[in-house]
Amino acid sequence: MAVTITMPKLGLTMTEGTVSSWSKKAGDPVSEGDVLFVVSTDKLTYEVKAECDGILASVLVAEGDDAPVAATVAIIAEPGEDPASLAESAPAPAPSKTADKDEPIETTSPAASSIQESDRGGKKVVVIGGGPGGYVCAIKLAQLGASVTVVEKERMGGTCLNWGCIPTKVLVHTAELYHETINGSDLGLIVKDASVDWAALMTRKTGVVDQLVGGVEGLMVANGIDVVYGEASFVSSRSLKIGNDTLEFDAAVVATGSETVIPPIPGVDLPGIVTSKEALSFDSVPKSMTVVGGGVIGMEFACVYATLGTKVTVVEMLDTVLPPIDREISAIARASMEALGVKFYTSSKVTGFTDKGGKIATSVETPDVPISVESEKVLMSVGRKASTASLNLENAGIRHDRGKITVDRFMATSVPGIYAIGDCCSPIQLAHVASAEGEIAAENVMGESKAMDYKTVPSCVYTMPELASVGLTEAEAVKRGHSIKIGRFPLSANGKSLIMKGYDGLIKFVVDDRYDEILGVHIVGPRATDLIVEGALALRLEATVDEVVTTIHAHPTVGEALAEAALAVNGKAIHMPPS
């Protein structure tokens, strides 16, 4: 049976759209998911895709012509149907409402220069930055009745979706599967000549990113949010300049994120020295790589590339890698990475880089003697800084410390009506923190008085094995004056972890000795980044270990080890001999 393709409704006020281009012509075969045509309105462009396989039997609206919302634009014939007969019986094409076919179509594509004023009522709020902080804030603002415009200089989704969290985890997932495959003999899994198709992996990474970015763009449309592409800078405390245009607002939220810090080390501009952004898109898997910095980003890339066969060396100035993580947990992770072949130099400093004809020599001062490490690539991963240089904060009177915007616990800046969220101001540079701050800021913009609470922020590290943490580490709890008890449960004693080869995993509870209140939960092992949610909820509810213990945990799961670790706080673990 034939399927009609209609003009979609892409916003609350949309009544018609223009077919700006066709990707298929009448008679062409189409597959589910193929782009059929592109719709343009005065606020956006949108790709309409086929929802089934078949033949494009009839095109009813030509390129450049308009059609009302819900009008039939095309007909797809199912396999076996006669496209010619369907075309003959199709309704007449919708009349064109375009006054001048040569008149340019205004869009909110990156090339667009004009800013469309929202035709909705409500408080006019501009959100600068479309990352996980900005787009969540924008949606919350729209839900609360604001007229919202998002200004994004590159792509919706920001660093996280495009060049950070999401594409990195695509590589991590494939690396994990590859590692399981080539080491699967004890699982009864034999795969001869297993290999990674790097080009296919890059294509998959791009596909996942594009799907999620498209989803965010769709959420903007669904919530009636205007999106303007360009770089914003403040003209005053109530107006922005984007390109040659000016945008006035009643309130603003700065959500411009962060960028990689590049320290002034001699030779740091040599070819082959990259940031995490470039490390996601190498032409091929490098034979060797030096990672400068032992933080989360550096360790995730170290694991990925070491698993794929790269000889990886890590140089870290501190005496430990992953310094925010509980020392006991990070030590287990380091040992696992060393088993992958990663070489560590801690308490060491990079002093320079030299071109060695196809390789880069990294000069390192170690606690013993100076050394030189040669590698094909060098990943600079020493931290990130607020990305605010182009905003001209001074024009709005916004207080900042070397670019990092100063905010209070309500996410308010020094200027009434202007807020900031995410990496450009936050004490914790994590995507989920930016999202939470975005919701807080949105509510306060609209007249509430909500404060941000960082007590329950979980940290997740996608190394192999995974690490996750929430609340105080053992050292932090002692430093704050708590008398503490520790509960540990090794995942080697957990059935599901044993099945998953999580032999070295550990769950650790840090608990106040007086009240048995849970102060921190720390996990290394399979599914750690999923399990930490229970720890975050426990801190949110100020739970005691007894409340975790008396919650029935499903079997067989890794999660039941949380209950065992809680029992271990008072020496009552069931599946572990008494100490």
Side-chain angles (χ1 to χ4, degrees), residues 338-363:
E338 287 174 333
L340 291 174
V342 179
K343 174 72 174 178
F344 289 92
Y345 290 99
T346 52
S347 300
S348 299
K349 179 182 178 182
V350 173
T351 58
F353 303 102
T354 309
D355 186 348
K356 288 290 184 179
K359 286 192 174 182
I360 301 164
T362 303
S363 299

Side-chain angles (χ1 to χ4, degrees), residues 53-70:
D53 298 340
I55 304 295
L56 186 59
S58 180
V59 172
L60 304 178
V61 181
E63 287 188 359
D65 282 355
D66 298 342
V69 167

Side-chain angles (χ1 to χ4, degrees), residues 10-12 120 138-140 142-143 146 148 216-226:
L10 303 175
L12 298 175
R120 298 192 299 119
I139 291 170
K140 188 70 174 179
Q143 290 174 344
V148 188
V216 172
E217 292 171 341
L219 288 172
M220 298 298 99
V221 173
N223 285 278
I225 297 166
D226 296 331

Side-chain angles (χ1 to χ4, degrees), residues 155-427:
R155 294 190 80 195
M156 289 300 293
T159 296
C160 179
L161 264 64
N162 291 283
W163 311 285
C165 317
I166 296 302
T168 304
K169 277 54 182 183
V170 173
L171 302 192
V172 167
H173 181 65
T174 295
E176 288 175 339
L177 292 177
Y178 178 65
H179 181 72
E180 289 295 306
T181 300
I182 63 176
N183 295 283
S185 59
D186 58 340
L187 299 175
L189 178 65
I190 305 294
V191 180
K192 294 183 178 180
D193 303 320
S195 62
V196 174
D197 185 335
W198 186 252
L201 178 54
M202 292 295 100
T203 299
R204 180 170 190 268
K205 178 201 71 176
T206 300
V208 170
V209 168
D210 287 348
Q211 181 174 340
L212 290 172
V213 170
V216 172
E217 292 171 341
L219 288 172
M220 298 298 99
V221 173
N223 285 278
I225 297 166
D226 296 331
V227 178
V228 175
Y229 288 92
E231 191 165 64
S233 61
F234 283 100
V235 176
S236 70
S237 62
R238 286 297 178 268
S239 63
L240 286 170
K241 186 176 180 64
I242 301 110
N244 295 320
D245 297 285
T246 300
L247 179 64
E248 296 183 348
F249 54 83
D250 299 321
V253 181
V254 182
T256 50
S258 62
E259 57 195 58
T260 302
V261 172
I262 304 297
I265 301 172
V268 75
D269 56 348
L270 286 172
I273 299 179
V274 301
T275 69
S276 57
K277 186 173 182 178
E278 293 79 36
L280 288 165
S281 304
F282 289 141
D283 293 334
S284 60
V285 178
K287 292 181 173 60
S288 54
M289 181 166 66
T290 301
V291 178
V292 182
V296 172
I297 295 172
M299 293 303 91
E300 290 182 351
F301 277 104
C303 276
V304 167
Y305 282 107
T307 301
L308 299 181
T310 303
K311 181 183 177 182
V312 178
T313 303
V314 175
V315 182
E316 167 59 46
M317 288 187 67
L318 300 178
D319 61 353
T320 184
V321 294
L322 299 169
I325 301 295
D326 186 274
R327 287 290 185 101
E328 188 174 3
I329 299 296
S330 63
I332 294 171
R334 173 173 172 168
S336 297
M337 286 187 274
E338 287 174 333
L340 291 174
V342 179
K343 174 72 174 178
F344 289 92
Y345 290 99
T346 52
S347 300
S348 299
K349 179 182 178 182
V350 173
T351 58
F353 303 102
T354 309
D355 186 348
K356 288 290 184 179
K359 286 192 174 182
I360 301 164
T362 303
S363 299
V364 182
E365 290 183 357
T366 74
D368 301 319
V369 294
I371 62 169
S372 180
V373 180
E374 292 191 7
S375 58
E376 185 180 327
K377 300 288 185 182
V378 173
L379 170 62
M380 296 301 299
S381 183
V382 296
R384 297 180 67 84
K385 64 180 180 179
S387 184
T388 58
S390 63
L391 283 175
N392 291 326
L393 298 173
E394 290 77 9
N395 288 351
I398 300 171
R399 188 178 301 122
H400 63 93
D401 180 11
R402 290 168 293 182
K404 186 172 184 177
I405 297 173
T406 303
V407 294
D408 61 18
R409 61 197 184 99
F410 303 100
M411 310 314 301
T413 71
S414 57
V415 179
I418 299 182
Y419 295 75
I421 61 173
D423 287 7
C424 67
C425 66
S426 180

Side-chain angles (χ1 to χ4, degrees), residues 476-559:
E476 287 170 339
V478 171
K479 187 176 181 179
R480 294 193 185 187
H482 290 279
S483 175
I484 62 170
K485 296 184 289 189
I486 302 295
R488 298 179 180 86
F489 189 78
L491 294 184
S492 58
N494 171 261
K496 187 63 180 289
S497 297
L498 201 60
I499 292 168
M500 300 171 70
K501 298 175 67 174
Y503 314 125
D504 298 326
L506 176 70
I507 294 181
K508 178 178 180 178
F509 275 71
V510 179
V511 176
D512 182 84
D513 184 39
R514 184 176 180 184
Y515 301 108
D516 262 10
E517 181 183 347
I518 298 167
L519 302 175
V521 180
H522 311 279
I523 309 172
V524 55
R527 310 282 169 81
T529 58
D530 297 317
L531 295 173
I532 200 61
V533 174
E534 182 172 332
L537 183 60
L539 266 68
R540 174 70 180 84
L541 299 176
E542 298 181 347
T544 64
V545 289
D546 185 63
E547 288 166 314
V548 173
V549 167
T550 55
T551 299
I552 297 175
H553 290 68
H555 173 80
T557 63
V558 183

Side-chain angles (χ1 to χ4, degrees), residues 399-459:
R399 188 178 301 122
H400 63 93
D401 180 11
R402 290 168 293 182
K404 186 172 184 177
I405 297 173
T406 303
V407 294
D408 61 18
R409 61 197 184 99
F410 303 100
M411 310 314 301
T413 71
S414 57
V415 179
I418 299 182
Y419 295 75
I421 61 173
D423 287 7
C424 67
C425 66
S426 180
I428 304 175
Q429 292 185 331
L430 293 171
H432 46 278
V433 172
S435 296
E437 291 171 340
E439 293 193 62
I440 292 291
E443 292 188 81
N444 292 335
V445 165
M446 300 304 288
E448 297 293 329
S449 183
K450 299 289 183 68
M452 183 65 192
D453 181 5
Y454 297 98
K455 179 182 178 181
T456 64
V457 172
S459 297

